[in-house]
Amino acid sequence: MSTAEIVGTWLAAFFTLAILSFLYKDNPLYKFAEHVFVGVSAGYQLVRQTFDVAWPNLLQPLWGGLHRDVDTLKAHPQWAFYSIPLAFGLLMFARLWKPIAHLSRWPMSYIVGAFAGTSIIGAASADLVIQVQSSMVNLRGTGPWTLIDNPFSLALSTFGLVCALIYFFFSKEHKGALGVVARIGVYFMMVSFGGSFGFTVMGRLSLAVGRAQSLLVRTPLNPHAPWPALVGVVVVTALIVIWERKISPPSAGEG
Amino acid sequence: MGFWLRVSKIDRRILFLLMGFAIVLPLLHPLGLPFSVEKSVQDIYDQIEALPPGARVLLSADYDAASMPEIHPFTISALRHLFRKKAHVVIMTLWYAGPPMVQDALDIAKKEFPDLKEGVDYDYLGFKEGKQIVMLGMGQSIRSLFPTDARGIALDDIPLMHDLDKLEQFDLMVNPSSGSPGTREWVQYAQSRYHMKIVAANTAVQAADMIAYYGSRQILGLAGGMPGAAQYEKLTGVAGTATAGLDVLNIGHLLIIAFVIVGNIAYFVTRKRSA
């Protein structure tokens, strides 16, 4: 294990605990870790986008074109097309100068238009047509009965779908039978939201488990575990105690 | 102050501390609680198990370090399974923070297979910006989007990629994903347009939405969150970090359920008394 990896392991433990110190209360150590995280993320993204995106897709072809002879360039006129994304990319920076800030809307419009166009096609085919098709089920089931594929579950699912759709039918006041069905639709949706929330809780807990594993479990990347974590706890606690004493010194009667 | 009133006003930091114990103690002393494999995870395993040697598989690792505990164990297990089946694996990522994830998963999975050759048995194309535009482009020509692989070698010079240039040429796609672009976009652009067979592993938050795609067979298998990854580890026979984390999840969930029940009792009792 290299020195850089060892230092990285200790720093990871320290920053994890510094971030977790927010659970106690907002403090300068947490702020420091947060700012470092934001800075490192921005720097990482800048480097990745420059060398993995801008350089191979735009700058390298343009740079290569500048060094070719005129005959080669005439034979491959598509080289000139790279000037269009370059111009659009530069226009994005126009918003930094107020007199020409409006020009930054052009590349933004192109991006929004392109993504909206492609998204509509994808959503229409995959989310609308096929999902509607799959909601038209054979209520008897298609094969050996399972937890999902059995007459009761399929009928319940279809009933819930109809009730939830009726809740979103606004052309008639939700009273009487329509109101009852719409209310049942709300209950189905609440169960769905509860399921989503349960998944969210599990996801957040999984992240906590991941950090705890990285701190406490001995692995090839963290052969000294749990010492970095234990030292980190002592250091973070000590720094927070010092900070608390600084912002609210103990009164004369206290030791 | 009554007991329930004190419970309703408990300092939230005590709850954090209890949750901390619930996470740390099972990690230090694993309980090895049993768990079963869901059909949606079994389906992923069956899809890969059914691949003939030399089958072409695309693995797009669309996640970053933030969802590593949930997704990464699955990526490692899936790569291990694919290498065991002698599939030809093309790996890529649409997330700028994805490359370190791919590299780490490859390093771990390759250890068992010293004879694997990069460019012959597998190849890593690298990261590509462009989200769904990349998916659409790969449907026409992979070379137009990835002229070279991550090592900078032209695809025409890579044996694995000799006659491989379109999404529809892949026998299967494995998509560990934690957001957008991810499984939803691959279904919308690759499955619906090029009829790709897709299996996916998602974060727990995302899996709730992807169940609809599994129900409609737009994806053929789904592993949700850390439990999904643990189940896949169980199927492939190599227990990893997801299996180790499952004890903690079980204890943590029990504690949260207890918090919810006690909190609700305290709320209703104190409301009744104040009324």
Side-chain angles (χ1 to χ4, degrees):
Chain A
M1 202 176 179
S2 68
T3 311
E5 285 174 328
I6 293 170
V7 173
T9 306
W10 283 80
L11 281 177
F14 170 75
F15 279 109
T16 300
L17 293 162
I19 290 288
L20 287 176
S21 69
F22 183 78
L23 296 175
Y24 172 64
K25 67 161 69 167
D26 198 359
N27 63 76
L29 207 58
Y30 166 76
K31 289 279 185 219
F32 170 71
E34 189 185 35
H35 285 86
V36 169
F37 175 73
V38 171
V40 169
S41 299
Y44 179 82
Q45 183 164 6
L46 182 70
V47 170
R48 277 281 171 203
Q49 298 284 2
T50 303
F51 292 104
D52 289 355
V53 181
W55 175 251
N57 295 330
L58 179 65
L59 301 175
Q60 195 177 30
L62 278 171
W63 185 255
L66 288 174
H67 289 78
R68 283 179 191 157
D69 58 89
V70 178
D71 292 335
T72 312
L73 292 178
K74 278 182 180 172
H76 300 283
Q78 67 270 28
W79 170 79
F81 288 118
Y82 284 103
S83 57
I84 297 171
L86 176 69
F88 267 44
L90 292 174
L91 283 178
M92 290 286 270
F93 293 98
R95 62 171 52 201
L96 299 174
W97 192 28
K98 214 170 182 181
I100 57 165
H102 63 281
L103 293 178
S104 67
R105 291 179 188 166
W106 293 359
M108 195 54 78
S109 312
Y110 171 77
I111 291 169
V112 171
F115 271 85
T118 53
S119 298
I120 287 168
I121 298 166
S125 60
D127 287 353
L128 187 64
V129 177
I130 299 178
Q131 285 297 313
V132 169
Q133 277 176 350
S134 68
S135 67
M136 297 173 188
V137 294
N138 177 356
L139 292 178
R140 285 178 299 181
T142 52
W145 288 355
T146 61
L147 189 64
I148 297 172
D149 193 12
N150 66 68
F152 177 75
S153 295
L154 293 168
L156 189 69
S157 167
T158 308
F159 178 64
L161 173 71
V162 172
C163 292
L165 284 175
I166 283 177
Y167 173 76
F168 291 102
F169 180 71
F170 302 116
S171 296
K172 195 172 185 309
E173 198 174 353
H174 289 178
K175 279 184 174 176
L178 192 72
V180 172
V181 176
R183 171 67 66 178
I184 294 170
V186 171
Y187 290 140
F188 270 96
M189 282 190 282
M190 285 170 75
V191 170
S192 162
F193 298 149
S196 293
F197 180 68
F199 270 115
T200 305
V201 169
M202 184 170 75
R204 301 296 174 253
L205 200 54
S206 300
L207 301 186
V209 173
R211 290 321 299 157
Q213 282 176 328
S214 71
L215 290 175
L216 301 172
V217 180
R218 204 161 279 193
T219 62
L221 276 177
N222 190 6
H224 307 299
W227 291 109
L230 294 175
V231 173
V233 167
V234 172
V235 171
V236 168
T237 309
L239 288 172
I240 288 177
V241 168
I242 292 169
W243 167 70
E244 284 213 308
R245 285 183 172 246
K246 201 175 173 187
I247 58 167
S248 55
S251 58
E254 290 179 27
Chain B
M1 195 190 291
F3 172 74
W4 290 112
L5 193 60
R6 266 183 293 174
V7 168
S8 66
K9 291 182 185 302
I10 195 168
D11 190 334
R12 64 194 171 93
R13 286 174 292 195
I14 294 174
L15 305 185
F16 294 149
L17 200 62
L18 289 173
M19 184 51 78
F21 284 127
I23 289 171
V24 170
L25 293 179
L27 267 185
L28 298 178
H29 299 284
L31 304 170
L33 296 171
F35 62 93
S36 56
V37 177
E38 290 173 38
K39 186 177 179 304
S40 62
V41 181
Q42 181 71 50
D43 284 349
I44 300 178
Y45 182 83
D46 293 343
Q47 285 291 334
I48 294 180
E49 199 60 23
L51 292 172
R56 292 156 163 175
V57 178
L58 176 67
L59 190 148
S60 185
D62 301 325
Y63 64 98
D64 58 13
S67 46
M68 215 172 160
E70 294 186 89
I71 306 289
H72 204 53
F74 173 86
T75 309
I76 294 166
S77 300
L79 279 172
R80 193 180 278 134
H81 193 188
L82 289 166
F83 290 150
R84 206 181 286 164
K85 292 295 298 178
K86 299 190 186 305
H88 288 166
V89 190
V90 177
I91 307 161
M92 59 175 279
T93 177
L94 295 172
W95 284 44
Y96 76 87
M101 306 294 108
V102 173
Q103 206 53 60
D104 185 66
L106 266 174
D107 289 345
I108 296 171
K110 278 192 311 187
K111 276 181 190 163
E112 282 179 34
F113 308 93
D115 296 335
L116 278 182
K117 284 184 186 153
E118 187 165 9
V120 178
D121 302 301
Y122 74 95
D123 201 51
Y124 173 44
L125 299 182
F127 157 69
K128 181 60 67 177
E129 181 61 79
K131 301 179 172 63
Q132 52 263 49
I133 306 294
V134 175
M135 300 173 191
L136 289 170
M138 288 178 74
Q140 304 297 318
S141 167
I142 295 173
R143 278 163 177 72
S144 67
L145 272 300
F146 293 94
T148 66
D149 71 356
R151 297 170 294 169
I153 299 174
L155 293 203
D156 288 330
D157 298 331
I158 298 170
L160 179 66
M161 303 298 295
H162 268 165
D163 55 345
L164 185 55
D165 197 37
K166 291 181 194 301
L167 282 182
E168 61 192 11
Q169 290 177 283
F170 286 102
D171 297 297
L172 183 70
M173 180 188 179
V174 181
N175 182 222
S177 143
S178 67
S180 178
T183 303
R184 182 183 295 281
E185 287 74 18
W186 280 111
V187 168
Q188 289 179 340
Y189 300 99
Q191 195 279 332
S192 69
R193 189 172 286 210
Y194 305 111
H195 308 291
M196 285 189 84
K197 291 166 78 175
I198 299 176
V199 293
N202 293 163
T203 55
V205 174
Q206 196 189 2
D209 291 337
M210 296 303 119
I211 287 172
Y213 289 139
Y214 175 67
S216 60
R217 307 301 291 163
Q218 286 166 284
I219 53 176
L220 301 175
L222 176 64
M226 189 180 266
Q231 290 164 30
Y232 203 77
E233 285 178 349
K234 187 179 182 179
L235 287 170
T236 50
V238 184
T241 54
T243 306
L246 218 53
D247 271 349
V248 189
L249 275 189
N250 284 327
I251 302 296
H253 287 164
L254 283 177
L255 189 67
I256 290 169
I257 291 168
F259 285 164
V260 170
I261 292 171
V262 172
N264 274 280
I265 292 172
Y267 170 74
F268 284 111
V269 170
T270 51
R271 192 177 70 161
K272 198 175 171 186
R273 282 181 189 163
S274 62

